[in-house]
Structure formats: C-alpha cells, structure tokens
C-alpha cells in the first residue's frame, strides 16, 4: 500500500526511528511552559500514547491547551526514559498552529464528569477517556468479526425498514416520507399528511427492533449469517442501559440442534473477544475474572435461587414472570458472582418463534452479566409454523419455514451493553456510543 | 477456538481428508436419479463449491431438488477428477432429510430471472447466483475494512436518527414514535398524533441521508474515522441504482490538505479491494481492466469534452449544471473508457460544507464508473464557518469547526453501487442487497 496520508502516532510507535526528523499531527492534551522550555503532550487519537514535544518559548508562545498543531522535529529518546516515564520526545524544529480554541472551549484539562461531557457529544471524543472508549468500540467490532469470519460466518445486511415487528414488544418508530419543501428545520409542528404514509411503501413502515427474522432467511441459504446493525426502540426509558438507537450483533446458524451448542458459541465468542482486545493493547482489571468459568442454570433453577434468598424483593420472584433487574443483579453479582446463562424460559413470556423445550418452556437462553444485566438473548427457532400462527404481515416467514427448513437458532448481542460490561465501573451505555439517542433531546 | 458447530463445506475444502467419514449439511442444488445410483449436488452456502453426494436409490428416494439434508459418508476422490470435473465425492452411508419443499417452491433448477427472484427475497439466497453475490458483499465489507485498519482508521458509528439534513438534498424520512396499542398491522390508516412527534426527541427527527457531519466531529479527535452505515433517501426513484435504504462507507480524514491525496486514497482503496477479493477466490473478467490507469479531469474539462462531442444530448451540457446520467455515461463508457474522477465542481451546485478551490469552484471530487455512474463523492471541508452560514439546527457543526479545527476531508461510497460495479453486466442494485427497499411495496 502506498503512503498517501500523514504519519499517525500509531504507526510512529510501531517503528520509532530515533534521530530522524518527522512530522506529527494532533491536538495538545497538556502544556507546561517555563522560562526556557515548553513541554506539550500531543495526541492524534489513533492510539493511547501521546508524544511529548519539547519546544522553545518562542515556538510555543501561540500554543494553548486543546489546539491542533503540526510539529516537525527530531525524534529522540527522552532523558526521563530511564526513570520509567515517557520513552520518546520530539525536539521541535517547526510548529504550525492549525486551529486555536476559543475561550468558551468546554474540554479543559480537569476532571470533567461523564454527565458534563455528554452535553458536548461533538467534542468529547477529544478527551483521552472517550477516545479510549471509541477505540475499544472499534477493536470490539473487529474482534467480533474476526471470531465470526474464522468460523465461516457470512456478514450480511438485513433491512432496517420493515412492515412487521419481530419481537411484538412495545414501542416502535413509524417512518414516513417527508418533503423538504415543508420547511421543517426548527419547526416542531411538522405537517405530515396521512396519504404520505400509505403512498411510499404501500404499507405502514417501521424501524426494525431486531433483524432476526430476515437474518433467519439468509442463514437458511448461507448456513451461518451475521449482521452488526442498528436497531431502534421507542421506549421512554432513562436507565443507564437503554438507548432509542443502538447497535446489535445478530447471528443465525443453520443445522444447530442443541441449545447448549448455541450457548457454547456465545461464551467462546466473548472470551475470544477479550483475548483479542488484550492482544490489541486494551486492559481492564476485571477481565481476568471474566475469563474464568461461566455458569448455566435453568430459569426454574434461577427462580428457586431467588425464592430461597433472604432478599426483600421489590418484585417477588414468581415462576411465569420475567426476571426483573433486581433479580438479574442478584444472580450475577451476589449468587453466582459472574456471567450466567439462564435457559428454558416459560413459553408464555417469550416470542412466537422459539422452539419448545418442554410442554411449557422454550429452548431460549439469556446471558446475564454483572452490573449490566441482559447482554445476549437467543434461542433455537421453531421447525415449522403455519401462516395462522404468525403475526399479521409475517406470512412470508411461515412460508419460508415450510420450504427446506433446517434446525436453526441464533442470538442477539447489544454492542453498547457489551462495551459497558467490558469497561466495567457501571459505565452508562451513553458513554459507549458517539452520539447517544434516547428520549429527551437531540443536541447534535 | 473450539469446534462447536457442524463442519462447513468451506472448512471441508480447506483440508479434504480423503477416506474419512464426515457429516455434511446443506441444500440440494441438483439431483440426478437413475436405476442404480443417485447423484446429488449439495451446497451449504458457505463457499462456491458444492459437494457431490453418491447415494443408492433407496437412500435417495425421499430427496428432491431444494430439500435440506444431512449426509454422513466417506469422502473420496471422484472418478471424474481425472476428467477435470468435480474432484471429490461423498459416498453416502446415511442421509437425514431435514426439510422437504412444497409443490409451490419457486426456486427451481431452471433459468430464473433476477426480476422473478426479486419477488422472493426470503428464498432467493438459496440460488447459486444470489448466494455468490452475498458472499461477494461479505468479502467486500471485509476488504474495505482491511484497507482502512491497515491505514490506522478507527471504525465508529455516528447516529442514524438526526434532527438535521446534511445534504440539504431532497426527500427524507420522518421518524415518530408509535405505540403498539394502536394495532397497526395491516392497517394503512395509521393514526399518528402531532403531539407524538414533538414529545419523543423534542424536535422533528429524520433518518440520516449521510452521517458525514457527525463523522467529521469524530475525525477531529481520532484523526481517521470511518463507518459502514445505513442511510436513507425518500426519493421516488425507480432506476437500477437507487434504493430508499442503502449502505455507505463514509470516511473522514484530519490533517489532509490536498484533494489529490483524498483521490489517491479512494483509488488505492478500490484497487486494494479488487485484489483482496481475487485472493478470496472471487473473479470477474472486467476487473483486470479496472485495475489499470484511472483518469482525473476537472469538471470544467469534463464540460468541454461533453460540449465537443458529437452526441445529441437530452440535457445539453452547460457549465454550472450538474452532470446528468447521460453525461456520466459518455465520460466513463465512451470518452475515457474507465473510471474517472471529476474534480472542482461549481460551488453553486454543491453543499455548504465544501472548501473553495477557486472563486467559484469547490475542492470536491466524484468518482464515476462505467455502467453505474457516481460511485464516490467527496471533498475537502471548510476550515471555518459561522453559525449564520450553516443550515438551522447545525449550530453545533459551526461551533465544532471553531474549536481546534484542522484541514480535513472525506468521502462517501455507496456499497450497493460498488457491488453493482464489481459484478458488472449492468447489475441492478436490488440484486446486491438481501432485502431491497424502494418505493412501491415491502413484501418481506
């Protein structure tokens, strides 16, 4: 590959050519000026390690915290390398100031809370902490894909616009064409004629809550299909683990006959990912604990454990009801102290497409993890289903299962929840995605 | 990695263990029964090469074209290997029939047109041709990401729900929350109260037409950012290259100062991709031609060439107007006979964020390719812009450029058009995406 673009710090650190004159580009992350010398830490966001620039007061006099610069200088071993501090420094020969910051620049070198930074989604990427999170996000997507490619999965893109609601679960977004001629900007009384709704697609159209049913169609021809895709829920939730727009890994596998095998795949995927991230230089203390034995219990066993505990429940556990957040937290944080797969849920609380595992349970599994709760949900899928048994608009799904179906199953994994789990410290999903969307307002 | 899942044909072909008894899974793609022996070609969709199964009439008597099966048998070198035909065959010991096909199964072994198959998006993946296209799609996504990762780009996910319209170009989709309680299925008179619109996000909210502006924010902290993302246009177009829901690669690069460099990156990306696909076993005859020299001309030079041609134009070329499809086709198919970058368009026909390259042109480039037309659009971005100069709702964008901006630029590449270009033969974009969405109807 030819080298068209300026050198990044990431590539510089791969082979630091001591004594050479190099150009580096980035933003000033710290600045220390004294009478004779000035030290600036410059980061370009491509890796964790910034570069220390050593400049004269004359070279540095226009510089300020946050500014963007190009520095030409000689790369040297730092005098402090022996002290275990930064290994390299750049002796500035020429500094070009690209962009200053104004007095109202909110990103300052002090402890900015995540809540404060959330007000500036267009600027917070410039902090070391958010920058590190977004690199973790990038490497996580890469790691998930690496596992799937090694196991012969084919990446695909099922539709986001859909006329049916896979989960039958709650609130969706309606999508209607809108002409720019009705000047909408800033006007909250958008007029939206009923005719428009039926005209465009010929049927009411929604944003997908899960692409699973379409992905099943693709797995029934590709054997192993996956997508990393946006999904949408119009829930008015303000918890630390709900977003109106989120990303999901969805996986469907043909010729799979056992729920245990599906569970094995999920456990192996996440353990592989953590090792992949470690090899990429990421580190979080709790990962070593996560890599140990995971637990599997049936929903019925989980209910028994909840009932036998001495906890004073807000929602008393009862067979046939869904697990609430306090139940999930008890199982992962107190009872088993680690990730746990809960299997074989009551059929009555699960969607129509899940395969029975007894006369009143289905071959479903949810992965619950500490602090975050439900991270993965999956199941074996029914072998056949009549067009009368499916929700309206899903006749194609029933038709599909009638034609050369195979045993199959799959799961969905929330990317933002995965990142909150990986990061630990009860991270809010709003910190794991660049521009979080949830009910309230859209600033940028 | 542990081996949880059944063997795929893809992994079988990597190390065919002759003489071993193996299980293969898949769908019957052809079937030939005679009095003494039966030959079935079975494909699982994970790779191009099916496996030939040799069975007795008794083993095969329930089999039919299209059915899904599990075959246990001994892998042997085919007797026809010497004739250059299939190398391996599986001597069936046991055949399990998973799913039969009904009499109305539309996927039959005959020449099915793409228009016919388009009526069965949930089944057409089972044809060799569509299956091959979707594997090309998967490997294309992988190849694009491979190039970008090698060049230190960070993958990210800007929002799809947005309150502003980046391009200012035409028709968008309005998004409003919708309660399941208003039973919508099959009912085209969806009631949608005005209050709902303003309640959820506090402002009218649309599906993105391009995530570029948000991606710029991320590049101004990560240096090199990209996303492969869905985008939406509510255009009532019925051409072979328009979809209402499509996927785009969007790339933003900080510290880039020349349009030529941006163009170099795009050319290198696509040439790298083609070589990557060849290494993955894909082949299309016209790729060798595509890998040769590409052209670059300015918009003004393109206009001169169009004017100097002897073509009878439907839209006469005129400086200051956009290139029409017939103009694009002339430039790529007749005048230059290959891909061409057209640069430095009139500022009056381009969006507000592009950097001037003269007093009436901007530093923009479009990549036009034979048969498909515009495949990539990109530009350098303005260095600064006041809050009065941006469209309403984009004050954050102007604020962002005022804070430590750097020279930067980027481009967008339509994934479905790229696949149509790679496939050749004037492929319709509807064949490149599993469930195409355009105005008319949504079947599945």
């Amino acid at each position: 590959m030819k080298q068209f673009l300026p050198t990044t710090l990431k590539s510089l650190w791969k082979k630091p050519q001591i004594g050479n004159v190099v150009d580096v580009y980035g933003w000033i992350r710290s600045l220390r000026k004294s009478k004779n010398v000035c030290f600036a830490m410059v980061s370009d966001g491509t890796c964790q390690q910034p570069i220390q620039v050593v400049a004269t007061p004359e070279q540095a006099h226009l510089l300020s915290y946050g500014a963007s610069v190009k520095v030409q200088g000689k790369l040297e071993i730092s005098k402090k390398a022996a002290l275990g501090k930064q290994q390299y420094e750049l002796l500035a020969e020429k500094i070009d100031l690209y962009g200053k910051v104004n007095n109202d620049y909110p990103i300052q070198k002090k402890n900015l809370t995540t809540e404060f930074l959330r007000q500036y989604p267009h600027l917070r990427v410039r902090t070391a902490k958010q920058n590190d999170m977004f690199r973790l996000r990038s490497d996580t997507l890469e790691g998930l894909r690496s596992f799937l490619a090694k196991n012969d999965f084919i990446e695909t893109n099922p539709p986001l616009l859909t006329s049916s609601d896979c989960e039958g679960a709650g609130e969706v977004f309606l999508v209607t064409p809108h002409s720019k001629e009705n000047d909408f900007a800033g006007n909250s009384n958008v007029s939206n004629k009923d005719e428009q709704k039926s005209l465009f697609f010929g049927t009411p159209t929604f944003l997908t809550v899960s692409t699973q049913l379409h992905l099943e169609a693709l797995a029934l021809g590709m054997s192993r299909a996956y997508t990393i895709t946006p999904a949408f829920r119009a829930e008015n939730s303000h918890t630390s683990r709900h977003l109106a727009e989120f990303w999901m890994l969805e996986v469907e596998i043909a010729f799979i006959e056992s729920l245990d095998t599906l569970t094995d795949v999920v456990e192996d995927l996440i353990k592989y990912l953590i090792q992949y991230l470690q090899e990429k230089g990421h580190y979080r203390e709790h990962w070593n604990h996560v890599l140990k034995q995971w637990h599997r219990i049936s929903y019925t066993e989980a209910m028994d454990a909840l009932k036998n505990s001495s906890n004073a429940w807000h929602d008393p556990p009862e067979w046939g009801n869904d697990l609430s957040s306090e139940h999930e937290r008890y199982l992962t944080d107190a009872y088993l102290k680690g990730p746990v797969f809960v299997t074989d849920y009551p059929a009555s609380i699960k969607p129509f497409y899940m395969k029975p595992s007894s006369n009143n349970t289905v071959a479903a599994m949810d992965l619950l993890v500490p602090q975050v709760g439900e991270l993965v949900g999956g199941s074996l899928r029914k072998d056949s289903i009549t067009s009368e048994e499916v929700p309206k608009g899903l006749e194609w799904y029933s038709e599909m299962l009638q034609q050369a179906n195979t045993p199959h199953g799959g799961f969905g994994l929330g990317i933002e929840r995965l990142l909150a789990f990986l990061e630990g410290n009860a991270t809010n999903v709003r910190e794991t995605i660049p521009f979080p969307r949830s009910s309230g307002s859209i600033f940028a």
Side-chain angles (χ1 to χ4, degrees), chain A:
Chain A
M1 216 161 346
K2 290 173 228 155
Q3 178 75 30
F4 302 116
L5 295 173
T7 304
T8 61
L9 285 182
K10 185 178 182 178
S11 69
L12 186 70
W13 295 140
K14 275 188 193 149
K15 318 183 242 198
Q17 296 181 312
I18 308 304
N20 278 15
V21 173
V22 295
D23 292 340
V24 303
Y25 301 77
W27 292 269
I28 297 176
R29 285 256 184 92
S30 80
L31 190 63
R32 200 152 43 85
K33 292 183 183 184
S34 70
K35 222 173 78 180
N36 299 318
V37 65
C38 169
F39 297 98
M41 296 300 275
V42 173
S43 169
D44 70 354
T46 60
C47 61
Q48 196 169 19
Q49 197 187 340
I51 189 163
Q52 167 152 295
V53 171
V54 184
T56 64
E58 293 71 36
Q59 287 170 325
H61 93 280
L62 281 175
L63 302 188
S64 66
Y65 177 83
S68 58
V69 291
K70 170 182 177 179
V71 183
Q72 189 169 71
K74 198 196 273 187
L75 190 65
E76 303 218 323
I77 305 265
S78 163
K79 286 169 196 139
K80 294 194 176 163
L83 303 173
K85 300 221 173 176
Q86 68 276 346
Q87 283 201 279
Y88 304 104
E89 57 190 22
L90 196 66
L91 296 187
E93 298 183 352
K94 184 162 179 288
I95 300 182
D96 292 326
L97 176 64
Y98 280 127
K100 292 188 275 195
V101 295
N102 299 337
N103 287 335
D104 57 351
Y105 191 50
I107 311 298
Q108 293 298 331
K109 183 149 182 86
K110 54 187 174 188
N111 269 337
L112 304 170
T113 65
T114 54
E115 292 75 14
F116 175 83
L117 287 171
R118 220 179 280 153
Q119 300 172 75
Y120 303 96
H122 56 315
L123 298 173
R124 66 176 178 168
V125 61
R126 303 179 188 183
T127 65
K129 190 173 166 65
Q130 277 299 136
N131 198 284
D132 190 43
M133 169 54 84
F134 295 146
R135 279 185 284 102
L136 183 72
R137 184 178 178 107
S138 183
D139 290 333
T140 292
L141 297 175
E142 193 176 274
L144 294 171
R145 289 197 192 97
S146 164
F147 177 91
L148 292 160
K150 283 187 186 187
N151 285 286
D152 297 345
F153 282 85
I154 296 172
E155 182 175 4
T156 187
N157 299 117
L160 279 71
L161 297 176
T162 175
S163 58
S164 55
D165 170 10
C166 151
E167 296 289 317
E171 309 286 319
V172 294
F173 288 107
L174 180 70
V175 174
T176 49
H178 183 82
S179 171
K180 261 287 275 189
E181 286 158 24
N182 318 349
D183 170 34
F184 55 72
N187 171 12
S188 68
N189 285 318
V190 173
S191 84
N192 183 33
K193 300 189 191 70
D194 272 351
E195 304 93 81
Q196 287 184 319
K197 294 166 196 164
S198 46
L199 278 178
F200 199 82
F201 291 112
T203 174
T205 302
F206 306 93
L207 287 177
T208 191
V209 299
S210 156
T211 69
Q212 176 199 315
L213 305 182
H214 291 93
L215 196 62
E216 286 182 52
L218 298 168
L220 293 175
M222 296 173 166
S223 290
R224 301 185 188 176
Y226 81 94
T227 182
I228 296 181
T229 190
F232 303 85
R233 309 254 164 111
E235 290 166 1
N236 207 348
S237 297
H238 289 273
T239 79
S240 63
R241 51 197 201 116
H242 286 89
L243 292 166
E245 173 182 338
F246 59 104
W247 284 72
M248 264 204 294
L249 166 66
E250 297 194 81
V251 171
E252 288 293 324
I253 310 171
F255 308 110
I256 189 170
E257 309 199 41
S258 128
L259 185 64
D260 252 347
T261 306
L262 192 64
T263 309
D264 286 339
V265 171
V266 172
E267 183 170 340
D268 211 37
L269 167 69
I270 295 176
K271 289 182 172 177
Y272 172 94
L273 171 67
I274 289 177
Q275 286 163 337
Y276 188 92
L277 291 172
Q278 286 173 333
E279 282 163 27
K280 288 261 169 183
H282 296 278
Y283 170 79
R284 301 293 186 278
E285 201 181 333
H286 71 114
W287 289 357
N288 289 326
H289 181 68
V290 170
L291 288 173
K292 291 180 193 154
Q293 185 70 50
W294 291 21
H295 304 273
R296 296 183 192 191
I297 58 176
S298 71
Y299 168 89
T300 301
E301 288 165 339
M303 272 296 151
D304 289 344
L306 294 168
K307 283 180 178 168
N308 290 335
S309 88
S310 56
N311 265 28
W313 299 111
H314 183 263
D315 285 317
E318 197 175 332
W319 204 101
N321 290 347
D322 222 339
L323 296 175
S324 68
S325 302
E326 58 172 344
H327 301 152
E328 292 176 355
R329 226 170 11 242
Y330 175 77
L331 293 171
T332 54
D333 296 23
Y335 182 61
L336 294 168
K337 296 192 174 58
V340 54
F341 289 99
V342 180
T343 65
D344 300 283
Y345 282 79
S348 57
I349 57 169
K350 289 290 183 184
F352 70 94
Y353 50 73
M354 293 187 176
K355 194 172 193 163
S357 61
S358 76
N359 67 349
N360 62 354
T361 60
V362 286
M365 57 91 176
D366 280 357
L367 171 62
L368 312 179
V369 296
Q371 296 189 353
V372 170
E374 185 189 330
L375 179 59
V376 174
S379 79
L380 300 184
R381 318 307 190 188
K382 275 187 181 155
D383 291 334
S384 74
I385 188 165
T386 68
S387 57
E388 289 76 34
E389 289 171 297
V390 293
K392 250 186 168 174
L394 286 175
E395 292 78 9
W396 67 266
Y397 179 77
S398 131
E399 181 195 316
M400 172 186 89
L401 295 194
Q402 285 158 34
Q403 305 287 13
N405 191 14
T406 83
H408 67 291
F411 63 88
L413 178 161
I415 299 295
E416 290 75 22
R417 288 189 183 180
L418 173 62
L419 288 166
F421 167 59
L422 290 173
E423 182 69 11
N425 300 316
T427 295
N428 191 308
V429 289
R430 283 163 188 74
E431 269 62 75
T432 69
I433 188 166
F435 293 86
R437 297 302 192 227
S438 53
S439 72
S441 70
I442 290 184
F443 166 71

